[in-house]
Amino acid sequence: AAASDSISMNGSVQSRVLLSDRMDKQLDQVTLQPFWDFVKSKEPFITSPYFPVLFSFTAYMTFCLPYIALDCLSTKVPALRKYKIQPMVYPTLGMMIPCMIQCVYHHVVFIFPVTIAHWYWRPVEFPVMAPELPKVLLDVSVCLLLFDFQYFLWHLLHHKVPWLYKTFHKVHHKHVSTFALSTQYSSVWELLSLGFFAAINPKLLKCHPLTETIFFLVNIWLSVEDHSGYELPWSTNRLVPFGLYGGAPHHDLHHLKFKCNYAPYFTHWDRLFGT
């Protein structure tokens, strides 16, 4: 009888644990489900070939605008200059406009045809349920780490091979002191190859479409912050402990010195390779 009671109690505990885990997962899904239901209500537009290019350009310009405003204000407000990494150099209108024109040109002439091809060959399908929040956070983190590694290898190769640097990467190094709009000032090859890395990682991990979108937003934001030329009190490199994330100071030094800091976000690959 005692053994029977013990088995019964163990079964009861296991049932409660399983029920608790199931409820936690349901809660995680419920957390994102209302937003996902709203997104699904816009499915005809979001799954159209026009959405990805509009999304990319709008997100990029939205993230650039605060830094553009900061560039304008910093020349007139001395208190803001302490956040500028290279305080003696500020972008001019003549530097910003070509970056803006090239960005529009690349999105219309190159990115838009790619999104149409993707829309034709691999239509997007929306699942009914939202992803679980911990899974979203994990997948976005893994996608960022994968992209960081891919970019590091790509970047290192394009600096070590003179032909690759002169042919494809040199244009991105036109500005020694970076600013937000210089983020996507690059060759078509660089834009499309790095865009491919960003797009393929969520596919490899079989991420939920919502997770994929969140990763794209985070990736665009971090790339703009990297090139902003500012280290603010809330900059990502100050929020991540132990110097694991380099941020704007890390990447700004790369543009200044050319021969160090090849990883876009994290610092571990440069430390391991002695760069």
Side-chain angles (χ1 to χ4, degrees):
S4 177
D5 289 343
S6 177
I7 292 171
S8 177
M9 288 178 64
N10 288 335
S12 178
V13 170
Q14 290 175 353
S15 297
R16 286 198 297 269
V17 169
L18 290 172
L19 180 61
S20 177
D21 289 343
R22 193 178 299 114
M23 290 178 65
D24 288 341
K25 289 181 179 180
Q26 288 175 346
L27 181 61
D28 289 331
Q29 287 180 321
V30 168
T31 302
L32 295 174
Q33 193 63 45
F35 178 69
W36 180 239
D37 289 339
F38 170 77
V39 171
K40 278 180 64 63
S41 70
K42 311 295 181 185
E43 188 171 349
F45 171 63
I46 294 175
T47 55
S48 76
Y50 306 104
F51 177 76
V53 68
L54 289 173
F55 172 83
S56 173
F57 182 76
T58 303
Y60 176 62
M61 289 307 304
T62 300
F63 292 148
C64 282
L65 282 175
Y67 291 111
I68 295 172
L70 197 55
D71 282 327
C72 296
L73 289 172
S74 294
T75 57
K76 301 175 182 178
V77 183
L80 296 175
R81 293 174 193 168
K82 63 182 178 181
Y83 301 117
K84 189 80 165 66
I85 298 171
Q86 296 186 46
M88 301 304 294
V89 185
Y90 284 87
T92 63
L93 195 61
M95 295 162 66
M96 292 183 182
I97 290 177
C99 292
M100 181 69 180
I101 292 173
Q102 191 202 58
C103 180
V104 173
Y105 174 77
H106 280 172
H107 274 80
V108 173
V109 177
F110 297 103
I111 297 179
F112 183 51
V114 169
T115 62
I116 286 191
H118 183 271
W119 169 80
Y120 180 78
W121 291 108
R122 295 198 65 180
V124 178
E125 294 182 4
F126 281 1
V128 175
M129 297 302 296
E132 297 169 12
L133 185 56
K135 184 77 164 85
V136 171
L137 297 176
L138 176 62
D139 285 348
V140 169
S141 299
V142 174
C143 283
L144 279 175
L145 288 167
L146 276 174
F147 179 82
D148 189 75
F149 174 64
Q150 294 158 340
Y151 189 108
F152 172 78
L153 292 180
W154 185 99
H155 201 184
L156 185 64
L157 184 66
H158 281 69
H159 272 268
K160 297 302 181 182
V161 180
W163 179 80
L164 288 176
Y165 178 80
K166 292 178 182 178
T167 307
F168 300 116
H169 189 51
K170 185 178 180 180
V171 62
H172 185 62
H173 276 278
K174 177 180 178 179
H175 304 288
V176 177
S177 178
T178 58
F179 52 95
L181 285 173
S182 69
T183 305
Q184 293 189 7
Y185 190 78
S186 58
S187 67
V188 175
W189 163 252
E190 181 166 349
L191 181 74
L192 294 180
S193 56
L194 297 182
F196 172 77
F197 293 150
I200 199 66
N201 291 334
K203 303 298 182 187
L204 292 174
L205 295 174
K206 298 181 179 179
C207 293
H208 191 282
L210 182 59
T211 303
E212 187 175 357
T213 303
I214 292 171
F215 165 65
F216 288 157
L217 281 173
V218 172
N219 198 31
I220 294 171
W221 163 252
L222 293 179
S223 64
V224 170
E225 184 189 53
D226 256 13
H227 292 84
S228 67
Y230 291 90
E231 185 180 16
L232 300 166
W234 53 85
S235 291
T236 309
N237 62 292
R238 292 192 173 187
L239 301 178
V240 178
F242 311 119
L244 297 174
Y245 188 90
H250 183 83
H251 196 69
D252 195 275
L253 188 62
H254 169 74
H255 277 261
L256 185 63
K257 300 293 185 180
F258 290 87
K259 296 182 178 181
C260 63
N261 298 357
Y262 297 105
Y265 304 141
F266 302 96
T267 59
H268 55 277
W269 292 116
D270 283 304
R271 290 177 178 177
L272 287 170
F273 280 79
T275 55

